[in-house]
Amino acid sequence: MFNKDTYVQRRQQLIADVKEGLIVLVGNEPSSMNYKDNEYHFRQDSSFLYFTGLQSPSLVLVIDTAANKTTLFGDNPSIDYIIWTGAVSSVEERAAKAGIEHVQPLSALQHVLSTAQQQKQTIHYLPPYRMDTTVYIAELLGIPYQSVKEKASLPLIKAIIKQRAVKSAEELVQIEEAVNTTAAMHAKAIQLGAPGVTEMYIAGIINGIAVSGGGNLSFPSIVTQNGQYLHNHASNAPLQAGKLLLCDAGAENRMCYAGDLTRTSPVDKTFTTKQKEIYQIVLDAQLAAIAALKPGTLFRDVHTIAAEKLVEGLIQIGLCKGDPKEAVKNDVHTLFFQCGLGHMMGLDVHDMENLGEQNVGYTDQLIKGTTFGWKSLRLGRALEEGFVVTIEPGLYFVPELMDNWYAEKKNEAFINYDKVFAYKDFGGIRIEDDFVITQNGSRLLGNPLPKTIAEIEAMKA
Amino acid sequence: MFNKDTYVQRRQQLIADVKEGLIVLVGNEPSSMNYKDNEYHFRQDSSFLYFTGLQSPSLVLVIDTAANKTTLFGDNPSIDYIIWTGAVSSVEERAAKAGIEHVQPLSALQHVLSTAQQQKQTIHYLPPYRMDTTVYIAELLGIPYQSVKEKASLPLIKAIIKQRAVKSAEELVQIEEAVNTTAAMHAKAIQLGAPGVTEMYIAGIINGIAVSGGGNLSFPSIVTQNGQYLHNHASNAPLQAGKLLLCDAGAENRMCYAGDLTRTSPVDKTFTTKQKEIYQIVLDAQLAAIAALKPGTLFRDVHTIAAEKLVEGLIQIGLCKGDPKEAVKNDVHTLFFQCGLGHMMGLDVHDMENLGEQNVGYTDQLIKGTTFGWKSLRLGRALEEGFVVTIEPGLYFVPELMDNWYAEKKNEAFINYDKVFAYKDFGGIRIEDDFVITQNGSRLLGNPLPKTIAEIEAMKA
């Protein structure tokens, strides 16, 4: 964890922003897999982690803004627990590391909250994304679990986003560590890709690299020869000659900062000509988007730049026709590029997604789109120095979508459907890197991972 | 999955055993990690899997025993889902693979259940181990979530244990596949162990082997130089020369059958004399326990045989004194062997643990112990042909426990505390293999993994 001053300072800023009431940050519990005590690896809630640095379960942080008093609620381990799991530091020791002066047992929490309720104090908490947390909050506050989400605090959400969106220098060091582990995962995947090897085999090896890096996966690895499906995970199907291997995977480091990269490589040692054409279009779109990154620019506009560049390329090889800008205005790109150009990244790979995409990626004036394609753009608002974003354009040839559009004669004026149909078995290509917004532009995070056609082929030679 | 006849037959047997009412098996939902859509790898509920073979989320199986009618409740994917995740088979296709003739959407489930409630039919369901399942059942049945667990069906629990406890030949093939992947994990861990390498590095590599095997981990890997703590997981601490590396880890194969092995190896290339002495005592206890396995024998008695053998060895090297049988009667072994000798293994690594340890491992006449040591023995009852069990004795030198016992002068007549204290920094040794009970004894599952001192040292040479 960082020095305790970091956490003290973050909490002071939070008090200044939220201004009144009690702030309650509930840490995560272990998650049961196939029976109660067989647990998935523990993952702390990211906002709890941001304000405490503490990675152990069953802790609740309460900040009394009026009294400027922070208390960590948690229970010390029993001797039975120590025999089974080893000596762990006491709640007092953990609190001290986070610069928290007050400690109480969990059993004291309900009384503190009901007293605050009686005094008509606002109790600020975040919308939970796990049912056990939802029920716990409901029980603490004496409200039905069905109403927990709607009563979450928008002022607290906004205050947390304000801080977490801008990454400090010490956070960037952590993110770069995660990105470098992520790059090692991708280098291995590219090298392992060959006819007959299963997707799952490669997923296993690269997952292992993430854990060996000291942390874990930042999200379930996408390792697929069916890259046209955006979130298709690894299967036990062997890779086929002539196909593309799309790998979208990332590690989080031991402090839970995420990396997130995508590379698409040939299953064979080289790309086919058809694959090279599409690959280069995606790469050009990525480079155009990267060049546009700077403080003040709307990320929505960067997305549009990439979309136009993609359509431009598709026009050049005959899949599309007409004016690229007009085509994008008509959402032609969404036949091939159904998702967003990127998202914020930090303690979550889709940073703060649990706080609401509208709250994180947009503003009160800039509302997230609701139409196909645009509704999947997680980030739209003006970039600021210190934002960390992914840039991940792609071209995805989804047979089901082609058929739907063709049946509706959608955007006929811009699309040569006969040529597009020749790509029904092509798959998908995505290229993704991570950037921090700097004073005048952006900076690539982590050591560069090869991405030109020549570089990718050289890795497989 | 197996041929559909397997599942049809299992469900027919279930109907015959439960006899009346509606049987409701709720499949698992995805589990959120750090925001709703960032999910841990999906793990189906094992009983749902046993009776359907279906590994996709959001399915509920309802068996109407009176009508001998089985219905799979589930929803077909939307086009949006297909674009994101790829074509998946329809609920109808999945039902057909499991030999289920009737399919209905999830929205129809509540009506079916409330109709049954009005008709005063019994609704049998299993005790949930995840809060989202608990709340879902509560909503379906119109009862408070707090009372869901207590209203779970004991007849259903017993009928399911009766079937799942005895493994069929086709199940043993699956378990052996999992055990062989598990053995590959251990061989790698033994070879990787060396001063300076982190526990987490080794955990990552072997976790990768589990996933590459086509399935996943059967439980979070224990990879530790602090083997005295029974469930200590991997840390980022580098291994130290002179220490022991205890690795207790397992894969589940793609059908979710578990393997579970433990090996303890020196961080250096060879064991020290002190380590060899303790290692050989544990190995002798394991061999004695294995020799005692046969149908009709109480597993509790096999545990006692192992405990006596352990104490016998400790007497020989001077840590204990007196008569071994008397010592075990006085629970002397629990200072060094705080847990049980083993457990059932199948679709769960601790098979059916969610159905209750008393129900799974004991009988109405044989009640699980409640005292230290005995309360951790998951299996006590008479073995039957087809049971799959782990045999995993160990000696664990837990400083905190030594201090507690010494302060109470506990079992002074049997323990040479001054000698025991010399093992405060020793660590722990466990050796574990998996067996199926046969007509006359037992059979090791999977290819043998080296376990003698000479074999382990040869693997590191």
Side-chain angles (χ1 to χ4, degrees):
Chain A
M1 54 192 293
F2 297 125
N3 185 289
K4 66 180 178 182
D5 298 341
T6 295
Y7 303 105
V8 170
Q9 203 179 329
R10 288 173 177 176
R11 293 193 299 264
Q12 285 305 321
Q13 185 62 50
L14 192 64
I15 291 173
D17 291 334
V18 174
K19 293 186 180 71
E20 54 79 47
L22 228 54
I23 299 168
V24 180
L25 294 176
V26 180
N28 279 341
E29 289 297 304
S31 292
S32 297
M33 197 165 64
N34 51 333
Y35 52 89
K36 186 169 181 312
D37 288 343
N38 204 21
E39 295 163 359
Y40 289 107
H41 75 268
F42 177 71
R43 177 54 156 80
Q44 186 56 285
D45 175 71
S46 298
S47 289
F48 184 89
L49 199 51
Y50 186 83
F51 290 102
T52 68
L54 299 174
Q55 302 230 22
S56 46
S58 309
L59 296 172
V60 179
L61 186 77
V62 176
I63 304 175
D64 183 336
T65 57
N68 196 5
K69 179 181 166 186
T70 301
T71 308
L72 184 66
F73 289 79
D75 296 329
N76 279 317
S78 63
I79 176 76
D80 260 35
Y81 184 89
I82 289 172
I83 290 169
W84 251 254
T85 308
V88 294
S89 52
S90 67
V91 179
E92 289 75 10
E93 288 166 322
R94 283 176 270 168
K97 280 189 187 170
I100 301 167
E101 285 169 12
H102 304 276
V103 168
Q104 287 202 56
L106 280 169
S107 58
L109 180 55
Q110 191 151 23
H111 178 71
V112 169
L113 297 185
S114 55
T115 304
Q117 284 173 314
Q118 284 157 17
Q119 294 167 347
K120 307 284 179 203
Q121 287 193 61
T122 315
I123 295 178
H124 301 275
Y125 62 84
L126 296 177
Y129 45 89
R130 296 180 177 192
M131 188 53 92
D132 55 349
T133 311
T134 306
V135 168
Y136 184 55
I137 292 174
E139 289 177 351
L140 283 174
L141 300 181
I143 59 174
Y145 68 85
Q146 294 91 339
S147 65
V148 166
K149 201 165 180 180
E150 77 199 37
K151 290 181 190 289
S153 163
L154 192 58
L156 178 61
I157 288 172
K158 291 192 169 182
I160 289 181
I161 291 172
K162 182 185 152 195
Q163 281 196 62
R164 284 183 56 190
V166 178
K167 272 68 181 178
S168 68
E170 62 183 356
E171 288 187 284
L172 291 173
V173 171
Q174 299 296 323
I175 294 174
E176 295 212 69
E177 183 182 87
V179 175
N180 284 337
T181 301
T182 301
M185 294 161 65
H186 284 273
K188 193 75 182 178
I190 292 167
Q191 285 156 0
L192 287 173
V197 176
T198 67
E199 296 170 358
M200 200 79 168
Y201 177 80
I202 298 173
I205 302 295
I206 69 171
N207 291 5
I209 294 172
V211 175
S212 288
N216 218 299
L217 293 174
S218 55
F219 60 101
S221 302
I222 296 168
V223 181
T224 179
Q225 56 190 332
N226 289 302
Q228 70 276 21
Y229 302 115
L230 294 161
H231 281 173
N232 198 298
H233 295 290
S235 81
N236 280 302
L239 297 179
Q240 289 169 25
K243 285 271 193 181
L244 290 164
L245 175 64
L246 187 150
C247 178
D248 184 350
E252 59 180 27
N253 78 340
R254 69 189 71 175
M255 282 187 65
C256 293
Y257 282 91
D260 182 6
L261 301 171
T262 306
R263 287 294 182 270
T264 309
S265 58
V267 169
D268 304 308
K269 295 211 168 284
T270 55
F271 290 98
T272 65
T273 306
K274 201 173 172 183
Q275 289 169 346
K276 279 183 187 170
E277 281 178 355
I278 301 294
Y279 192 96
Q280 194 59 49
I281 294 171
V282 176
L283 184 56
D284 289 345
Q286 199 213 24
L287 297 174
I290 295 165
L293 296 174
K294 65 172 195 296
T297 300
L298 290 183
F299 196 77
R300 195 176 63 179
D301 293 342
V302 185
H303 176 82
T304 303
I305 289 169
E308 288 170 358
K309 200 79 187 170
L310 290 171
V311 173
E312 220 178 281
L314 292 172
I315 292 170
Q316 276 162 15
I317 61 168
L319 272 66
C320 291
K321 55 194 173 186
D323 176 65
K325 284 184 195 294
E326 277 306 305
V328 169
K329 274 184 195 146
N330 284 279
D331 290 343
V332 168
H333 61 288
T334 65
L335 176 58
F336 312 96
F337 180 43
Q338 300 86 9
C339 58
L341 178 68
H343 50 80
M344 290 212 199
M345 190 181 83
L347 281 170
D348 305 303
V349 62
H350 291 171
D351 210 21
M352 304 173 278
E353 186 163 302
N354 60 312
L355 303 183
E357 291 186 352
Q358 171 64 38
N359 296 325
V360 175
Y362 292 81
T363 65
D364 293 348
Q365 288 72 44
L366 187 73
I367 307 300
K368 187 165 170 245
T370 54
T371 58
F372 186 72
W374 292 99
K375 72 179 172 189
S376 303
L377 180 61
R378 292 188 165 83
L379 179 60
R381 65 171 159 134
L383 296 169
E384 295 175 27
E385 193 178 342
F387 278 17
V388 167
V389 297
T390 67
I391 301 292
E392 47 178 315
L395 287 171
Y396 310 102
F397 296 89
V398 184
E400 293 84 353
L401 192 60
M402 291 179 193
D403 290 341
N404 277 17
W405 278 40
Y406 182 68
E408 296 174 24
K409 305 194 176 196
K410 199 164 165 181
N411 275 318
E412 267 190 323
F414 295 102
I415 298 168
N416 291 319
Y417 276 105
D418 53 336
K419 298 222 168 148
V420 169
F421 281 145
Y423 284 76
K424 269 200 173 178
D425 64 349
F426 182 88
I429 290 178
R430 174 162 67 251
I431 306 171
E432 176 183 23
D433 290 295
D434 306 322
F435 299 86
V436 58
I437 306 303
T438 56
Q439 203 179 349
N440 303 308
S442 72
R443 178 170 73 80
L444 177 74
L445 291 168
N447 305 318
L449 176 69
K451 66 178 169 182
T452 67
I453 291 169
E455 285 168 346
I456 297 280
E457 290 185 345
M459 287 178 80
K460 300 188 64 95
Chain B
M1 55 192 291
F2 297 124
N3 184 288
K4 66 179 177 183
D5 297 341
T6 295
Y7 303 105
V8 171
Q9 204 178 329
R10 287 173 177 176
R11 292 193 301 264
Q12 285 305 321
Q13 185 62 49
L14 193 63
I15 290 172
D17 291 334
V18 174
K19 294 187 180 72
E20 54 79 46
L22 230 54
I23 298 167
V24 181
L25 294 176
V26 181
N28 277 341
E29 290 296 304
S31 293
S32 297
M33 196 165 64
N34 52 333
Y35 51 89
K36 186 168 182 312
D37 288 344
N38 204 22
E39 295 163 359
Y40 289 107
H41 75 269
F42 176 71
R43 177 54 156 80
Q44 185 57 284
D45 173 72
S46 298
S47 289
F48 184 89
L49 199 50
Y50 185 82
F51 290 101
T52 68
L54 300 174
Q55 302 229 22
S56 46
S58 308
L59 296 172
V60 179
L61 186 78
V62 176
I63 303 175
D64 183 335
T65 57
N68 195 5
K69 181 183 166 187
T70 301
T71 309
L72 184 67
F73 289 79
D75 297 329
N76 279 317
S78 64
I79 176 77
D80 259 34
Y81 184 88
I82 290 172
I83 290 169
W84 249 254
T85 308
V88 292
S89 54
S90 67
V91 179
E92 289 76 9
E93 288 166 322
R94 282 177 271 168
K97 280 189 185 169
I100 302 168
E101 285 169 11
H102 303 277
V103 167
Q104 287 201 55
L106 280 169
S107 58
L109 180 56
Q110 191 151 24
H111 178 69
V112 169
L113 297 185
S114 54
T115 305
Q117 284 173 315
Q118 282 157 19
Q119 294 167 348
K120 306 283 180 204
Q121 288 193 59
T122 314
I123 295 177
H124 301 276
Y125 63 84
L126 297 177
Y129 46 89
R130 296 180 177 192
M131 188 54 92
D132 54 350
T133 311
T134 306
V135 168
Y136 184 55
I137 292 174
E139 290 178 351
L140 283 174
L141 300 181
I143 59 175
Y145 68 85
Q146 294 91 338
S147 65
V148 166
K149 201 163 181 183
E150 78 199 35
K151 289 179 190 292
S153 163
L154 192 58
L156 178 61
I157 288 172
K158 290 193 169 183
I160 289 181
I161 291 171
K162 182 186 152 194
Q163 282 196 61
R164 284 182 57 190
V166 178
K167 273 66 180 178
S168 68
E170 63 184 356
E171 287 186 286
L172 291 173
V173 171
Q174 298 297 323
I175 293 174
E176 294 211 69
E177 183 182 88
V179 175
N180 284 336
T181 301
T182 301
M185 294 161 65
H186 284 273
K188 192 75 181 177
I190 292 168
Q191 285 155 359
L192 286 173
V197 177
T198 68
E199 296 170 358
M200 200 78 169
Y201 177 79
I202 298 173
I205 301 295
I206 69 170
N207 292 4
I209 293 171
V211 175
S212 289
N216 218 299
L217 293 174
S218 54
F219 61 100
S221 302
I222 297 167
V223 182
T224 179
Q225 57 190 332
N226 289 302
Q228 70 276 24
Y229 302 115
L230 294 159
H231 282 173
N232 197 297
H233 294 291
S235 81
N236 280 303
L239 297 179
Q240 289 169 26
K243 285 272 193 181
L244 291 164
L245 175 64
L246 187 152
C247 178
D248 183 351
E252 60 180 26
N253 78 339
R254 68 189 72 175
M255 282 187 66
C256 293
Y257 282 91
D260 181 7
L261 301 171
T262 305
R263 287 294 182 269
T264 309
S265 58
V267 170
D268 303 307
K269 295 208 171 286
T270 54
F271 289 98
T272 65
T273 306
K274 200 172 173 185
Q275 289 168 346
K276 279 183 188 171
E277 281 178 354
I278 301 292
Y279 191 96
Q280 194 59 48
I281 295 171
V282 176
L283 184 56
D284 290 344
Q286 200 212 22
L287 296 174
I290 295 164
L293 296 175
K294 65 171 194 297
T297 300
L298 290 183
F299 196 78
R300 195 177 61 177
D301 292 343
V302 185
H303 175 82
T304 303
I305 289 170
E308 288 170 359
K309 200 80 188 170
L310 289 171
V311 173
E312 220 177 281
L314 292 172
I315 291 170
Q316 274 162 18
I317 62 168
L319 272 66
C320 291
K321 55 193 172 187
D323 176 66
K325 283 185 197 292
E326 277 306 305
V328 169
K329 273 182 197 151
N330 284 279
D331 291 343
V332 168
H333 61 288
T334 65
L335 176 58
F336 312 96
F337 180 42
Q338 301 84 10
C339 58
L341 179 67
H343 49 80
M344 291 214 200
M345 188 182 84
L347 282 169
D348 305 303
V349 63
H350 291 170
D351 210 22
M352 306 174 277
E353 185 162 303
N354 60 311
L355 303 184
E357 290 185 352
Q358 171 65 36
N359 297 324
V360 175
Y362 292 80
T363 66
D364 291 349
Q365 288 71 44
L366 187 73
I367 307 301
K368 188 166 169 241
T370 53
T371 55
F372 185 73
W374 293 99
K375 72 180 174 190
S376 302
L377 180 61
R378 292 188 166 82
L379 179 60
R381 65 169 159 140
L383 296 169
E384 296 176 26
E385 192 179 342
F387 278 17
V388 167
V389 297
T390 66
I391 300 292
E392 47 178 315
L395 287 172
Y396 310 102
F397 296 88
V398 184
E400 294 84 351
L401 192 61
M402 290 178 196
D403 290 341
N404 277 17
W405 278 41
Y406 182 68
E408 296 173 26
K409 305 194 177 201
K410 199 165 166 181
N411 275 317
E412 265 190 324
F414 296 101
I415 299 168
N416 291 319
Y417 277 104
D418 53 336
K419 297 221 169 148
V420 169
F421 282 145
Y423 285 76
K424 269 200 173 175
D425 64 349
F426 182 89
I429 289 179
R430 175 161 67 249
I431 306 172
E432 176 183 23
D433 290 295
D434 307 323
F435 298 87
V436 59
I437 305 303
T438 57
Q439 205 179 347
N440 302 309
S442 73
R443 179 171 72 77
L444 177 74
L445 291 168
N447 305 317
L449 176 69
K451 66 178 168 183
T452 67
I453 290 170
E455 284 169 345
I456 299 280
E457 289 186 346
M459 287 178 79
K460 301 188 65 95

